[in-house]
Amino acid sequence: MPVRLHPHLSVRFNMVDADEIAKLCYERFKQLPRRGKPEPGREWTLLAAALKLSRCVHSDKVDKEVVSLGTGTKCIGQTAMSPSGDVLNDSHAEVIARRGCIRYLTSELHRAVSGEESSVFCRGDERGKWKLHTGVSFIFFTSHTPCGDASIIPMADIQSQPCPAVTSAKSPEGSDKGRDLKRKAEAPSEERNTKVSRLEEQETAETSTSEEPSLSLSTKTPEETFSQNPAGLLPQVSDIHRTGAKCVPGGHADPLHPGVGYHCAGMLRVKPGRGETTLSLSCSDKLARWGALGFQGALLSHYLQEALYFSTVVVGKCPYSQEVMQRALITRCSRVSNLPAGFSVCAPELLQSSLEFPFSQAQTELQHQDGKGRISPCGAAISWCNVPEQPLDVTANGYKHGVTKKALGTVKARSLLCKLELFHSFLSLVSATDPAARPDSLRGADLQTYWDYKKASQAHQQAWQQLHSQAFPLWPRSDRNLLLFR
């Protein structure tokens, strides 16, 4: 099935200015309280946001509004995850922004089912179903290329790169966001060599257990891809940017060859944690999934006549490749077919802004002063969304920022974005819906647990299985892992 436009994406063209979108997001971040923000000149973070676009009736004017914003670079390890869903597993900015957007959509659906006017939804053609108002669409912004496959981009002009090209057979340890970690100039060379040696031993041990052939949809190696000098890429590519996200176990591992042969392209990857394996897929993989399944999730699919897709993805100023973004977010899912009604593989328009996030790693390094301490990623993650109650949520290590150990396991410690809190919000939506006006999928079934409600969203589950079998054969198969790898 060819990639096609979803009906509500037809309003996207000739209305999106990448710099305008970036500016709106940066201004929204600037207006937030100080809590959870990076320390200027010492800490950096990444920002992502979901924006609602509304075409005015009888006019070409388009209103643009940031409805969800997130920052963050961290991800908890597998052993820190909670089977109760009361811990926020993935705090990368893209995931925070999308979960905040789900809070916003749930709030708008609550207004709609309660008989109030919603600026997003109107009644659909099926009983209990809702659809977007005509002229409404959503776009996604991220201040940096998503971690994982989208970050494996060429470094064509060494002098213009934010850090020197890696020339050793093994790369320095990848950062949480897919960037090359620079070796600090002030560190003794002996210390650097020791760290590199230890990392080489670790990577050799990790990759030696994976000898199966690659199941990537990409038929080209990075060398083949970048040697052809496609439009927008400079000639004489000598290296590629590294990603800290590692290939999902069970498939072909990165060859770790020098230069452009270091990574495999097109592979599913899991994010790095603090010295421990995580079960969180890379942001590149998650954005690709949202392009086939929608970003609304399984629970809200009960109420929606059609899945919701981002019409445009805008990336801030950073190392960037249009071809690589196309591969990572669109091409990998382009062969998926036989999706159920309401789902389709939707290719977003890909744009880059010339405006850099003031708290990016590069800007933080420029502003850093001696005596300020070493530069590091900010440990907190900020979520803001346009909801009437508790729009701001600041977390660290999967819990509310500043929570005491005594409060762990209680409501006070839970992020509003964790699975359990989002599930409770959904249950409130169901309770607010007149039983006679509920969707058919929520009628007559004995639904009690989070997993019951997810499985009852049959169209979403069918779409997931099609994506799983046709685009990503290595996607985790068990029910438990399907729940965790989200």
Side-chain angles (χ1 to χ4, degrees):
M1 181 178 70
V3 177
R4 62 187 178 88
L5 293 182
H6 206 271
H8 72 76
L9 301 191
S10 60
V11 299
R12 77 184 188 182
F13 294 107
N14 302 319
M15 71 169 61
V16 178
D17 179 275
D19 285 352
E20 180 187 7
I21 297 303
K23 186 177 180 181
L24 284 172
C25 296
Y26 298 158
E27 286 296 323
R28 178 67 262 184
F29 175 80
K30 186 177 180 180
Q31 295 167 10
L32 297 180
R34 179 73 188 86
R35 184 164 169 257
K37 289 185 176 180
E39 179 184 332
R42 194 185 71 80
E43 293 182 319
W44 59 272
T45 193
L46 301 167
L47 179 146
L51 299 91
K52 182 186 71 175
L53 274 59
S54 304
R55 182 186 291 276
C56 300
V57 180
H58 309 305
S59 170
D60 290 334
K61 181 183 178 183
V62 177
D63 291 330
K64 305 175 183 67
E65 176 191 6
V66 177
V67 296
S68 174
L69 180 146
T71 70
T73 65
K74 303 295 183 180
C75 193
I76 66 173
Q78 180 175 351
T79 59
M81 299 172 74
S82 169
S84 301
D86 59 348
V87 179
L88 185 59
N89 301 329
D90 189 341
S91 294
H92 279 219
E94 294 93 330
V95 176
I96 296 291
R98 181 255 182 174
R99 284 178 171 254
C101 190
I102 289 179
R103 287 190 67 205
Y104 169 75
L105 295 174
T106 304
S107 176
E108 287 297 315
L109 280 170
H110 200 287
R111 292 174 59 88
V113 302
S114 301
E116 301 178 37
E117 183 178 355
S118 168
S119 63
V120 178
F121 297 111
C122 60
R123 291 192 180 277
D125 303 324
E126 305 170 30
R127 181 173 62 177
K129 295 286 188 175
W130 300 82
K131 61 183 180 180
L132 294 179
H133 281 298
T134 301
V136 171
S137 63
F138 290 87
I139 67 176
F140 193 79
F141 173 80
T142 176
S143 64
H144 193 276
T145 47
C147 66
D149 199 53
S151 289
I152 305 175
I153 59 179
M155 299 170 68
D157 181 356
I158 295 178
Q159 297 302 318
S160 69
Q161 298 304 319
C163 55
V166 180
T167 56
S168 66
K170 306 293 182 185
S171 166
E173 182 181 358
S175 73
D176 283 345
K177 222 20 213 180
R179 298 184 178 186
D180 295 327
L181 278 183
K182 299 186 210 178
R183 296 296 173 185
K184 300 298 182 181
E186 65 271 16
S189 59
E190 182 177 350
E191 179 183 352
R192 295 200 301 270
N193 292 335
T194 300
K195 291 181 179 179
V196 171
S197 298
R198 290 175 181 170
L199 183 64
E200 289 175 352
E201 294 175 2
Q202 177 183 348
E203 287 180 329
T204 300
E206 289 175 347
T207 57
S208 63
T209 60
S210 179
E211 299 178 354
E212 297 182 16
S214 170
L215 291 176
S216 165
L217 292 183
S218 174
T219 58
K220 297 181 181 179
T221 64
E223 296 98 319
E224 294 171 331
T225 299
F226 300 137
S227 64
Q228 294 176 356
N229 187 29
L233 300 184
L234 297 174
Q236 299 179 346
V237 173
S238 60
D239 204 353
I240 54 174
H241 286 272
R242 306 290 188 254
T243 177
K246 296 185 180 298
C247 295
V248 168
H252 187 62
D254 288 320
L256 310 183
H257 294 155
V260 296
Y262 188 87
H263 282 307
C264 285
M267 301 299 293
L268 277 177
R269 296 176 178 273
V270 290
K271 295 170 180 172
R274 293 183 173 181
E276 183 188 12
T277 302
T278 78
L279 289 182
S280 295
L281 289 169
S282 74
C283 291
S284 294
D285 299 330
K286 292 187 176 183
L287 278 162
R289 184 183 69 203
W290 302 340
L293 305 184
F295 62 85
Q296 76 291 325
L299 297 183
L300 293 189
S301 292
H302 284 286
Y303 278 87
L304 300 181
Q305 186 168 303
E306 298 174 333
L308 305 183
Y309 298 93
F310 291 116
S311 63
T312 308
V313 173
V314 179
V315 179
K317 182 180 179 181
C318 65
Y320 179 89
S321 165
Q322 186 79 4
E323 182 192 37
V324 172
M325 283 285 289
Q326 179 81 21
R327 176 195 70 207
L329 271 58
I330 299 173
T331 307
R332 293 193 294 166
C333 294
S334 62
R335 301 179 187 178
V336 177
S337 60
N338 299 321
L339 292 172
F343 294 85
S344 58
V345 179
C346 294
E349 185 178 18
L350 303 177
L351 302 174
Q352 186 183 27
S353 167
S354 64
L355 304 181
E356 187 171 6
F357 183 42
F359 287 93
S360 69
Q361 185 175 8
Q363 286 297 309
T364 301
E365 289 170 350
L366 289 175
Q367 299 166 15
H368 185 253
Q369 298 178 358
D370 294 338
K372 285 283 189 178
R374 69 181 183 89
I375 296 173
S376 62
C378 181
I382 302 173
S383 169
W384 175 90
C385 57
N386 187 14
V387 295
E389 297 181 4
Q390 297 181 282
L392 189 66
D393 186 61
V394 183
T395 58
N397 299 318
Y399 296 98
K400 285 277 191 181
H401 187 256
V403 70
T404 63
K405 288 186 177 180
K406 185 178 180 180
L408 295 182
T410 68
V411 176
K412 292 182 179 180
R414 292 205 296 256
S415 165
L416 297 172
L417 302 181
C418 71
K419 290 185 179 75
L420 185 56
E421 287 296 321
L422 292 181
F423 181 47
H424 286 167
S425 296
F426 176 75
L427 292 180
S428 295
L429 171 62
V430 175
S431 297
T433 308
D434 188 316
R438 289 176 184 173
D440 291 342
S441 57
L442 297 179
R443 294 165 173 266
D446 183 19
L447 306 176
Q448 297 181 13
T449 68
Y450 172 81
W451 192 239
D452 289 338
Y453 279 92
K454 289 181 75 72
K455 290 193 294 185
S457 183
Q458 295 182 1
H460 188 276
Q461 295 303 312
Q462 291 171 12
W464 170 271
Q465 292 300 329
Q466 291 298 104
L467 176 67
H468 171 274
S469 62
Q470 297 179 32
F472 296 120
L474 289 181
W475 212 287
R477 285 172 167 75
S478 71
D479 281 356
R480 176 177 179 274
N481 282 339
L482 281 174
L483 179 63
L484 294 176
F485 277 81
R486 294 283 174 157

